Amino acid sequence: MSNTFQKKTSAIIVQIFIGLIIVGFMFTGYQTGFGPTVNNVASVGKYQISGREFNSEINRRIQFYTQMSGGKSLSSVQIKKFGIRESALESLISKKLFLVLSDDMGISPGSEQIKEEIKNLPYFKTNDQFDINLYKNLLNANQFSTQEFENTMKEDLSVKLVKEMLDNVPISKGYETTISKLKNTVIPIDAVSINLNSLETYIEVTPKEIEEFLKDETNINRAKSIFNERKSQKYDQAEEVLASHILLKKDKESDSEFEKKVQDLLKKLNTKNFAELANKNTQDPSGKKNGGDLNWFPRGRMVPEFDKVAFSTPKGQISSPVKTQFGTHIIYVRNKKDKKDAKFEDYRAEISKELIQKKKTNEKNTLAEKIFSDVKTNIKNEKNLSTIIAKYKLTHVSNNEINAIDGLKGKINLEDQKLDQIFNSPNQVLEFKDINQYLVISTGSQKTVENKGDKTSESFALARKLQDKIMKTLKENTSIKTTRGLLD
């Protein structure tokens, strides 16, 4: 169903561009840090992706995740886990595809528009006025020529103009009607996804296998390398406190009245009744039902005044009142953990087991086939299925109604081909196998529902979906080559 729709809606537009875009990769390696390089890492039509662009995009994403994790530097394991290199490359390819699209459609910013854009950038201004010397000095400090920077600005503006045009493409009534019918036709499904890579941890490894593995110096060095990458982020034990607190806030009472209230409560408190009195007295909403429990936390997690008292109060004692920006706290330090540096000897067996498991491809595939068979057999048996899902931590979506346009949002991705088969196979159990994922889906009966969505939002979503389909089809028809190990 959705494939037929896709051909009708995007074939005419896509035919204009197919054949114009040839992506050839000439990767010669890259640096992990930002810095200029003469090497171009990719080309999309006449447009090049430079090593500088690639490094910059990687570092931009690393900085984002670093901020999200509280300022802690990312390890190479985390960089790989988050797919930073892959997403950086995909983003740059998409940008260059938009540029090829802008050329074919004759959409390009003029020189005056580019100059005006640059003049409005705040970091090139002195006293709110564009400063030509500051402009040249900043570019020079970052090893950019003015021509390079202005070309970059031209590309960014071209992409912006093309996106604005695509976002405002008039949507025909026929297109809206077709989409509406597809969105209003739903089918209930139960879906279970088996991630083959996640099954490695369930592969059995004997102590003898680990012993043999560690007889090889190369294997020991591999294990040490992984340990060093994970040490600070995963294995080292930070100094931590397990604490509860009661938060009191001054209201309309005088300072002396509030102080008396705090002291009266402090006199009543002991380690046995702290949780009970916290539930009754704390003005921290999150602590009213859990006895003021803050769980374990390391230094620096709390505001400085609270942190200082929590870590200086002995284990098993209740602190004197401490004032912070949130109010007055009484802290019960329930337990403590000392800082402890991890040692390789304590983790080498665990890491070795992990490395051995990765090698056992046949065992992993055998286990995947067994789980796949068990899931298919029990997809309609809720009790048995729950046991299998819990044992192997499988992804499960239950009683979810999907349509042929949006598919299944979130945990499990359903491409058009899978959606076609699902909507053509009501009341059946379907199976799909990809390289890294096995999927079992149980379908119900199709039905029509009423769409009560906002028309303006829906029209915008349709325009965005059309844009996504155009870009997806362009990419599918583009030759993409990468050198071995580029994204490792």
Side-chain angles (χ1 to χ4, degrees):
M1 180 188 295
S2 56
N3 274 345
T4 302
F5 166 71
Q6 180 180 352
K7 290 172 185 175
K8 288 180 180 178
T9 56
S10 63
I12 295 175
I13 299 174
V14 170
Q15 283 173 4
I16 299 172
F17 311 115
I18 297 303
L20 295 177
I21 303 168
I22 298 175
V23 180
F25 286 81
M26 304 150 306
F27 288 111
T28 55
Y30 60 91
Q31 304 164 353
T32 55
F34 177 79
T37 172
V38 297
N39 296 323
N40 291 319
V41 297
S43 62
V44 183
K46 71 177 184 181
Y47 293 98
Q48 304 296 317
I49 298 176
S50 69
R52 180 199 288 270
E53 285 180 287
F54 190 38
N55 291 335
S56 180
E57 184 64 19
I58 288 172
N59 283 341
R60 187 182 69 78
R61 291 167 185 268
I62 288 175
Q63 288 171 10
F64 170 77
Y65 280 105
T66 298
Q67 290 172 353
M68 293 291 289
S69 61
K72 292 183 179 179
S73 299
L74 298 188
S75 66
S76 59
V77 173
Q78 289 174 309
I79 290 172
K80 188 171 184 179
K81 176 183 176 182
F82 295 142
I84 288 175
R85 293 182 175 90
E86 291 84 351
S87 62
L89 183 59
E90 286 297 317
S91 175
L92 291 170
I93 289 173
S94 295
K95 176 182 176 180
K96 303 304 180 181
L97 287 172
F98 274 114
L99 291 173
V100 175
L101 194 55
S102 73
D103 284 346
D104 193 76
M105 301 180 74
I107 298 175
S108 179
S111 58
E112 291 303 317
Q113 187 177 359
I114 295 168
K115 290 178 182 178
E116 194 63 29
E117 192 77 16
I118 292 173
K119 287 180 179 180
N120 286 327
L121 293 174
Y123 36 83
F124 296 141
K125 290 184 177 182
T126 300
N127 296 326
D128 208 32
Q129 295 293 321
F130 177 71
D131 187 332
I132 185 66
N133 292 322
L134 179 60
Y135 171 59
K136 291 180 178 180
N137 289 337
L138 280 176
L139 293 185
N140 185 57
N142 286 280
Q143 300 182 50
F144 262 111
S145 69
T146 55
Q147 186 63 52
E148 284 177 315
F149 185 75
E150 286 163 17
N151 285 341
T152 298
M153 289 300 300
K154 180 180 179 180
E155 289 190 0
D156 290 343
L157 281 172
S158 295
V159 171
K160 179 182 177 182
L161 291 171
V162 172
K163 287 184 176 181
E164 287 177 352
M165 185 279 296
L166 290 176
D167 285 342
N168 292 284
V169 170
I171 303 299
S172 71
K173 288 296 181 183
Y175 184 93
E176 285 192 13
T177 301
T178 303
I179 286 284
S180 181
K181 286 181 180 178
L182 291 174
K183 287 178 74 73
N184 293 350
T185 301
V186 300
I187 189 169
I189 67 166
D190 278 359
V192 178
S193 171
I194 304 165
N195 184 324
L196 270 63
N197 291 331
S198 69
L199 298 181
E200 291 172 351
T201 57
Y202 300 97
I203 304 300
E204 183 179 351
V205 176
T206 66
K208 186 175 181 179
E209 286 178 293
I210 294 174
E211 183 181 343
E212 290 297 319
F213 181 85
L214 287 170
K215 287 180 179 179
D216 189 327
E217 190 68 26
T218 301
N219 292 336
I220 293 176
N221 291 334
R222 287 176 63 199
K224 282 183 178 178
S225 177
I226 292 172
F227 170 79
N228 290 331
E229 288 176 359
R230 298 176 181 174
K231 185 177 182 296
S232 61
Q233 296 287 335
K234 183 177 180 180
Y235 296 142
D236 285 346
Q237 171 60 56
E239 184 183 7
E240 290 187 330
V241 162
L242 176 65
S244 302
H245 82 135
I246 296 173
L247 174 64
L248 300 172
K249 298 180 181 181
K250 184 175 176 294
D251 192 13
K252 296 179 180 179
E253 67 264 62
S254 65
D255 289 346
S256 59
E257 289 172 334
F258 178 70
E259 182 64 27
K260 185 177 185 304
K261 182 173 75 172
V262 173
Q263 291 299 325
D264 287 346
L265 177 59
L266 187 60
K267 290 175 184 177
K268 297 176 185 176
L269 284 170
N270 58 55
T271 57
K272 293 182 179 179
N273 68 11
F274 192 94
E276 179 186 351
L277 292 180
N279 288 337
K280 292 179 180 178
N281 293 279
T282 189
Q283 290 173 269
D284 177 3
S286 63
K288 285 185 174 295
K289 294 182 179 180
N290 64 3
D293 183 22
L294 294 170
N295 215 322
W296 288 96
F297 57 88
R299 284 188 183 273
R301 176 78 56 81
M302 305 299 181
V303 293
E305 304 92 332
F306 190 102
D307 217 40
K308 182 178 179 180
V309 173
F311 281 89
S312 62
T313 300
K315 170 184 170 182
Q317 292 190 20
I318 297 172
S319 75
S320 299
V322 54
K323 293 181 180 180
T324 74
Q325 65 198 68
F326 302 105
T328 297
H329 309 257
I330 301 173
I331 307 169
Y332 169 28
V333 178
R334 290 148 52 199
N335 206 345
K336 287 190 171 186
K337 290 179 184 176
D338 293 329
K339 182 180 180 181
K340 182 180 179 182
D341 286 333
K343 296 179 180 179
F344 172 67
E345 289 73 19
D346 295 332
Y347 293 93
R348 65 177 184 173
E350 174 188 317
I351 296 171
S352 297
K353 178 181 178 181
E354 181 183 323
L355 290 170
I356 295 168
Q357 287 172 327
K358 288 183 182 297
K359 286 185 174 181
K360 293 194 171 188
T361 306
N362 291 337
E363 289 89 339
K364 181 180 72 175
N365 291 339
T366 299
L367 177 60
E369 291 293 341
K370 180 182 182 303
I371 297 172
F372 192 49
S373 176
D374 290 345
V375 169
K376 286 188 294 183
T377 302
N378 294 284
I379 190 70
K380 295 182 181 295
N381 185 322
E382 185 177 341
K383 183 178 179 181
N384 290 349
L385 184 63
S386 297
T387 301
I388 299 168
I389 289 168
K391 182 176 181 180
Y392 296 104
K393 298 179 181 178
L394 307 179
T395 300
H396 181 211
V397 177
S398 179
N399 298 319
N400 198 296
E401 290 184 345
I402 66 170
N403 62 58
I405 297 298
D406 299 320
L408 186 57
K409 296 179 179 178
K411 297 180 179 178
I412 300 175
N413 181 43
L414 296 176
E415 302 89 354
D416 287 343
Q417 186 179 2
K418 291 186 177 72
L419 285 172
D420 282 342
Q421 189 170 340
I422 289 169
F423 276 87
N424 288 320
S425 309
N427 301 307
Q428 294 186 37
V429 175
L430 306 176
E431 55 185 77
F432 302 94
K433 286 187 177 181
D434 297 324
I435 295 176
N436 294 315
Q437 176 186 253
Y438 290 174
L439 193 59
V440 180
I441 295 179
S442 174
T443 64
S445 300
Q446 286 189 31
K447 63 180 180 179
T448 301
V449 296
E450 183 181 355
N451 182 13
K452 297 181 179 179
D454 176 67
K455 290 295 182 183
T456 302
S457 298
E458 189 169 297
S459 294
F460 178 80
L462 293 181
R464 178 65 65 181
K465 188 167 289 292
L466 179 59
Q467 174 182 320
D468 291 343
K469 284 184 176 293
I470 292 170
M471 301 310 294
K472 179 182 177 183
T473 308
L474 282 170
K475 186 176 180 183
E476 287 173 350
N477 288 273
T478 299
S479 174
I480 299 177
K481 297 178 183 179
T482 60
T483 57
R484 185 186 299 276
L486 171 74
L487 299 176
D488 290 345

